[in-house]
Structure formats: structure tokens, C-alpha cells
Amino acid sequence: MPRDSSLPSLAGDVHARLAKIFLAALVVRWGYALAIYSIMGDAGLMGPDSVAFYSILKDYAGAIVRSEVHGWSWIGPDVQLMPLYTWLLTSSILVGGTFGPILYVFVQGLFDAGTCVLVYLLAAALHERYALPTAIFAVINPTQIVVSGLIYHDTPFVFFAALFLLASILWLRRPSWTLALVIGAALGCGALFRILVGLWLPVHFGLLLAGTLMLGNLRWRTIGQIVSAAVIACLLISPVFLRNGLQYGAWTLTAQGGTHLAIWVAPLVREAKDGTLWQQGAADILRRTAERFGPTPANPFEASRQLEIVGREALRELGVFAVAKAWFNGVAVNLGSPAVVLSPPVAALPRTGFYGTPGITFPEKVFNFLFRSDNARYAQWLLAGIVGLIAVRLVQLIGLWTAWRDGTDRISLALLAVWVCYILAINGPVGSPKYRLPIEPPLMVLTGAGWRGLRTGWQQRKA
């Protein structure tokens, strides 16, 4: 365990240091966004899904202006989009008008600069000497910078993920009602940006309960705090649950499960098994669904249920080994793909995408994508990014060893490790730098620890 349950050395000039971290991160993110915007305009702020998101919410903003939004519609016009993301982007459109896209990206820059501050505090909670290098790496982290420049919901979500991870570590050391309320609010707000945290809720509260038991802090008071945090999180997401149940007859939080399972997971598992391209596998799933159930129903939850039935059948046919292989491939892509491929100037280069690249095996597919690309410039950017990412991953491995050697709080490390494993597991075979963004806070902490380990080793060798 660390020497103190509070944040180390956070006195004196702490506010000045936090302000410098925030401002440095903000300058980098706003500078990147302005550079891309000056070159490409609104297109430079859009990823593959951003155009659809923006179009839906632009129409929604118009409906608000015309006073056409009533009842459950205030939660949002599309069940695929969570309320806080809906309101944040819609507000940017209402306030910014034609400058709505860049205004939203600027707001995301504020969120991500705040995440850098939280990552600094997270590292400081583990070891004070990890804090500053961790913050520096977070400020210049390409994954955070690039994704914060795209109209997605991931950047605000990661802010709340970093907040509930930090609050949880501090609560485990010194339980308090304030920290419990922060944990519950951060979890609930995170879910209102990305629903993937919904399945994490029972895991997280189970980990808090197990941690207090291991630390000998299990009391009725701490149990009450855990329950209170859970209640707050559930209350925050309950309007979505009620809207889906009362309006669509589906007592669940999302209609994305069927699409994810049938259109992404099952085809990628098939590709891992026999090399069938993802596009062909997805088309086959849609054809099977149409043959079995007929036209797509208007109720999105019923459509999701139909896809989920066909997707589960496909996975059973493919077998457990193929599923495990596809998950391993997805983890490799999530951890090994550089963020530069998401940057619009690079992403806009004409080429065959990774999922469209042929290959009988996953290594052959990766090799063809890297070294037989139909666009040499894209391949050069990709390879340069991979080289840099490999170097960072090696530093992070050193950081893991350094943290273990330094006797860093093992329970806190375990909490962060389970979060990383959860995100990699729930993404499954679907890989992208965007999908690993939620694990960047723990990865940045390991990078800072690795830098300290390397620097200490170098100083010892010199001595």
C-alpha cells in the first residue's frame, strides 16, 4: 500500500501545476482541431459514424427550434444515441449554427484536457513520481488528441471513466460519502454518453466490495456508501430504461446489441475461422435475418432482437475456438493500431480498409494491409505509427514491472487491470484506436511509471 491514502504532495503549487496541465492539453487539442478544420473544414471533424450522428441531431435541433419535441423525445431522437451526447452535440448546433461541428470539438477539447488532469491525479494516487511524466504523456497522447478532434461520444465518456476510476481508488483507501457520490455520478454520466459502462456497473461495485473486504474496511457504513453510489448511477440512467420500456416495450438500455453481435462480431469470428471478408459475412447475416423474419421492423429493439437471434446461431455454428481466435485478433488490433489512421487527412486517403483486405489468416491479413496497401502514403503513416506505438507499449510493460517493484497499491492496480480487460473483452473482435480510448488513462499511468523506471535505471547505471 502507498504511504498515504491522500494524493501525494498535492499542496503548495498543486493548483498551478494542474492549471498548466489543463492549459497545455487544451492548446494541443484546440491547435490540432483548428489545423485540421482549416485544411478540410467540417469534413476534417467527421469520422465514419460522425456524419450520420450530426445529421440526426441537426434535424433534432431544428425540431427543438420549431417546438416539436415533447415527452420522451427530450431524451433523444435515436435510441442508438445516449442522452448526454445527444444534448451536448445538439446544444453545440443550436449555439454554433454552421460552426456547430467545431464548437462541439472545442468542448471535447475541454473534456479531454480535464481527463489529462484526472490522469495526473490518478498517477499521483499510485505514486507521486509517476504523476508528472504521466501527465506529459497524456497531454501529447495521439489517441486522445485525434479522437477529441472527431464528433464522437468517446472523449466525454473517457473523462467520466477517469473520474470514477480515480474516485474509486481514493475511496478504497479512505471511504467517504463524498467520494461515493462522485463514483455514482461519474458512472451514471459515463453511461449517458456510452452505454457500454452499463454492464460494468455490477462488476465495479463488486470490486469495491471485494476491495473493502480485503483491506479490512468492510463496515455497514462502507456498504451503505457502495449502495448509495449504485443507486445514484441507476437513477441517472433510469430515464433511458423507462423510455425504452414504455415507448418500445423493451426493458433494456440499448438497441445496439443485435447490430454489434450480428453485423460485427459474428462476421469477424467467421473471418477468423475461414478468411471470409467481413463485408461478405455481414451481408450473409442480413440475408439470413431477412429470410427468417421478413422486412426489418420499425421497432429498433425488435430489429435488434432478430439480429441477436441470428447472430447467436452463427456463433454457435462457428465454434468456441473461432470465437476465442477472433477475440485475440481484436485485442491485437485495439492495442496495436495507431491513432494516426483515424486522423481525417490520413483516413481520407483512398485505399482498401483493413476489414476489406484479403487474407486467409489474421497475420496474412495484417501483412497485406501493412505491406501490400494500394496507397503507399497511407502505408507509410500506418507503419510509422505502429513503430511509435510499439515503443510506447514497451515502456508501459516496463511501467507495469516498475509499479510492481515499487510496491504500488496492488488493489488499485487490480482495479485498473480489470477495467482494461473489461473494455478489451466487450469490444471483442472489433478493433480500432477509438475503441481503446477508455483504457488510455491506465495506459498513460503505466507509461509514466515506465518512464520513471527507465530514468531510475539510467541514473543507477551512471552512478
Side-chain angles (χ1 to χ4, degrees):
M1 286 285 295
R3 315 132 186 72
D4 194 296
S5 61
S6 60
L7 294 175
S9 301
L10 296 187
D13 63 346
V14 60
H15 297 296
R17 173 169 289 188
L18 296 180
K20 290 177 182 177
I21 294 169
F22 181 86
L23 290 175
L26 192 62
V27 167
V28 171
R29 281 141 185 81
W30 281 6
Y32 168 82
L34 281 173
I36 298 295
Y37 184 67
S38 65
I39 296 170
M40 301 180 67
D42 288 349
L45 311 177
M46 305 283 184
D49 298 324
S50 302
V51 176
F53 293 165
Y54 189 79
S55 177
I56 291 170
L57 296 182
K58 185 177 180 181
D59 292 342
Y60 184 61
I64 292 175
V65 172
R66 296 188 300 270
S67 300
E68 296 174 356
V69 177
H70 308 284
W72 291 115
S73 297
W74 281 109
I75 294 181
D78 192 310
V79 296
Q80 308 287 349
L81 304 178
M82 297 303 289
L84 285 186
Y85 175 66
T86 294
W87 298 334
L88 186 61
L89 181 51
T90 302
S91 298
S92 300
I93 295 170
L94 290 171
V95 174
T98 57
F99 296 102
I102 189 64
L103 177 59
Y104 177 80
V105 167
F106 279 168
V107 173
Q108 282 200 145
L110 292 169
F111 271 104
D112 207 50
T115 300
C116 292
V117 172
L118 293 174
V119 169
Y120 170 85
L121 297 174
L122 186 63
L126 296 177
H127 197 298
E128 60 184 288
R129 294 186 180 179
Y130 301 166
L132 185 57
T134 293
I136 293 172
F137 281 113
V139 166
I140 62 174
N141 181 6
T143 305
Q144 291 180 244
I145 295 168
V146 171
V147 177
S148 73
L150 297 170
I151 298 178
Y152 283 136
H153 47 203
D154 303 85
T155 293
F157 169 76
V158 172
F159 171 84
F160 289 107
L163 180 58
F164 71 66
L165 289 172
L166 172 62
S168 298
I169 287 174
L170 297 179
W171 182 87
L172 283 169
R173 298 178 184 179
R174 185 176 295 173
S176 72
W177 288 101
T178 299
L179 288 172
L181 296 179
V182 171
I183 293 168
L187 284 165
C189 290
L192 291 176
F193 274 104
R194 286 197 68 187
I195 198 56
L196 70 82
V197 81
L199 294 176
W200 171 255
L201 292 178
V203 177
H204 190 78
F205 293 121
L207 290 172
L208 293 183
L209 188 62
T212 55
L213 180 62
M214 295 174 65
L215 293 170
N217 290 331
L218 190 61
R219 305 286 189 275
W220 285 114
R221 180 174 59 87
T222 53
I223 293 174
Q225 291 171 6
I226 293 175
V227 171
S228 298
V231 169
I232 290 171
C234 292
L235 285 175
L236 284 170
I237 62 178
S238 62
V240 178
F241 184 78
L242 291 172
R243 186 273 309 270
N244 296 344
L246 296 175
Q247 188 170 351
Y248 296 99
W251 296 98
T252 183
L253 289 172
T254 179
Q256 300 177 32
T259 300
H260 179 72
L261 180 66
I263 305 303
W264 286 100
V265 173
L268 290 174
V269 171
R270 180 180 174 185
E271 182 175 339
K273 183 174 184 177
D274 58 22
T276 301
L277 290 179
W278 166 78
Q279 293 94 326
Q280 181 60 48
D284 289 345
I285 289 287
L286 290 174
R287 176 183 52 80
R288 288 176 58 176
T289 306
E291 290 174 353
R292 180 165 178 178
F293 295 103
T296 303
N299 187 327
F301 291 90
E302 177 60 20
S304 176
R305 187 189 68 84
Q306 294 176 2
L307 285 171
E308 191 168 347
I309 290 172
V310 177
R312 290 185 184 279
E313 290 176 352
L315 289 180
R316 284 195 294 269
E317 295 168 3
L318 293 166
V320 175
F321 179 76
V323 172
K325 183 179 179 182
W327 248 258
F328 176 81
N329 294 345
V331 169
V333 172
N334 273 314
L335 292 178
S337 53
V340 68
V341 300
L342 292 181
S343 185
V346 177
L349 294 173
R351 88 285 178 196
T352 301
F354 179 74
Y355 292 119
T357 301
I360 301 300
T361 64
F362 180 73
E364 180 182 349
K365 185 182 183 73
V366 172
F367 181 86
N368 290 339
F369 185 66
L370 293 178
F371 300 106
R372 295 176 180 171
S373 173
D374 45 13
N375 190 310
R377 182 173 296 178
Y378 180 85
Q380 291 166 0
W381 278 107
L382 178 62
L383 289 170
I386 288 175
V387 170
L389 196 58
I390 290 173
V392 172
R393 294 288 179 261
L394 290 174
V395 173
Q396 289 165 354
L397 287 174
I398 295 172
L400 184 59
W401 177 81
T402 301
W404 192 268
R405 180 200 63 187
D406 288 345
T408 303
D409 180 2
R410 306 290 168 80
I411 293 177
S412 298
L413 286 177
L415 174 64
L416 298 180
V418 175
W419 171 249
V420 170
C421 292
Y422 168 80
I423 293 298
L424 294 176
I426 204 159
N427 286 332
V430 185
S432 168
K434 181 172 82 77
Y435 295 134
R436 73 158 176 267
L437 188 65
I439 66 174
E440 287 297 330
L443 291 180
M444 288 301 98
V445 172
L446 289 182
T447 310
W451 178 262
R452 177 184 180 274
L454 289 171
R455 184 177 180 184
T456 301
W458 175 254
Q459 291 174 341
Q460 289 175 347
R461 289 188 64 182
K462 286 181 65 176

